[in-house]
Amino acid sequence: MKKIFLIIFLSIFSLGFSQKKKKGKAKVVAEKETVIIYTETEAETSNEPRIIAGFLKQNPGHQRSDFFKKKLMTIIMADNSAEAKPTIKPLSKSKIEKIVSNNELNKGKDVAINKSPERNVNFASVSSSSKKSEVSDKNKKTAAMLSHIFNDDPSDKEAYINIKNRSNCRLIVKISGKKYYNLDVPAKGQNFILIDKGEYVLTTMVCDAKYSSLKRISKDIEIQLDVAD
């Protein structure tokens, strides 16, 4: 009889312990860090200047370089592009051509574009309107990114982090080091930020899972985050 009670007691205890352990198991974040490599398919299907410019930089002798230069120019010059909204400091068409063509990766190449009256593309703005302010921030961010990508100076003190969010939750990534940055990344989306090279701690919550990682940023990288199965 005592053996029966002992067996029952041990069974109940084991079941309770197992459930408690299962309940207390915390979710973990799956992280994948890679050096950013742009493919021809990405450059062809994307309308992001960053991706097209990155592909041109990494593939200077590509047979379709002229096509992608033209596409990059078209996107930047488009009337409906955020980079083309009226602002205070203009960047002329000729200056954009110089950025795209006058660098190491494009020497000896011509930019194929439609000849039309010169228009100004504007990157910097000061406005009392919150909407114009948001456009200005995006313009400055894109301008800084293009300048960084086409910069061949090895002493460049900046690098960028691209965060790919594979989870179903929005992320606010805090980047803490000698400077502090916040990066808003939509669910199932991505976002990037240009930062000073150095050592940083990246923290965020991926749904219910806490993420914290020490990174030494010395080059452009991409970090993919998701909740582990």
Side-chain angles (χ1 to χ4, degrees):
M1 192 71 176
K2 288 182 180 180
K3 289 184 179 180
I4 295 175
F5 281 120
L6 181 60
I7 293 172
I8 295 173
F9 173 78
L10 289 174
S11 299
I12 294 173
F13 177 79
S14 299
L15 181 61
F17 180 78
S18 176
Q19 289 178 340
K20 184 178 180 181
K21 186 177 180 181
K22 186 176 180 180
K23 184 178 180 180
K25 186 178 180 180
K27 292 182 179 179
V28 296
V29 176
E31 175 192 8
K32 181 181 179 182
E33 179 182 328
T34 58
V35 175
I36 299 175
I37 298 177
Y38 300 100
T39 67
E40 182 178 355
T41 300
E42 287 177 323
E44 189 162 19
T45 58
S46 176
N47 286 319
E48 283 191 56
R50 170 181 65 90
I51 292 176
I52 301 167
F55 177 79
L56 285 169
K57 178 66 177 286
Q58 292 177 357
N59 300 274
H62 196 274
Q63 59 182 1
R64 301 182 68 198
S65 290
D66 288 342
F67 167 78
F68 289 117
K69 290 176 196 174
K70 180 179 179 181
K71 181 178 179 180
L72 178 60
M73 289 290 297
T74 300
I75 291 172
I76 296 175
M77 298 300 295
D79 289 334
N80 62 351
S81 170
E83 289 82 359
K85 295 295 187 296
T87 52
I88 289 178
K89 186 178 179 181
L91 186 61
S92 68
K93 183 176 179 180
S94 60
K95 289 182 180 179
I96 294 176
E97 290 180 17
K98 188 175 181 180
I99 290 176
V100 177
S101 61
N102 292 348
N103 55 75
E104 292 299 322
L105 69 92
N106 291 319
K107 281 184 176 179
K109 293 278 188 176
D110 294 325
V111 180
I113 58 174
N114 294 325
K115 298 299 181 180
S116 57
E118 183 168 302
R119 290 182 284 126
N120 284 337
V121 175
N122 308 286
F123 285 111
S125 172
V126 177
S127 173
S128 58
S129 167
S130 60
K131 185 174 181 180
K132 288 183 179 180
S133 178
E134 290 176 5
V135 170
S136 172
D137 290 342
K138 185 174 182 180
N139 294 344
K140 288 187 288 186
K141 182 179 179 182
T142 301
M145 176 56 61
L146 290 175
S147 297
H148 168 72
I149 288 176
F150 284 120
N151 185 6
D152 292 307
D153 186 356
S155 64
D156 185 7
K157 296 182 179 180
E158 293 181 312
Y160 84 84
I161 303 174
N162 187 60
I163 303 290
K164 277 191 174 180
N165 179 11
R166 297 301 191 191
S167 76
N168 294 315
C169 305
R170 173 191 175 195
L171 307 181
I172 302 296
V173 182
K174 297 184 182 298
I175 305 171
S176 308
K178 58 183 179 181
K179 289 187 177 181
Y180 297 87
Y181 310 86
N182 284 336
L183 184 62
D184 191 344
V185 188
K188 298 295 184 181
Q190 61 181 310
N191 199 2
F192 67 90
I193 187 168
L194 192 64
I195 67 173
D196 288 350
K197 292 178 180 178
E199 196 169 84
Y200 295 90
V201 176
L202 278 63
T203 57
T204 190
M205 290 294 295
V206 185
C207 297
D208 295 328
K210 185 176 181 179
Y211 169 77
S212 180
S213 180
L214 176 65
K215 302 287 184 185
R216 184 176 294 277
I217 309 299
S218 60
K219 55 189 174 183
D220 298 344
I221 63 170
E222 182 173 274
I223 300 172
Q224 182 175 299
L225 297 177
D226 198 358
V227 178
D229 295 331

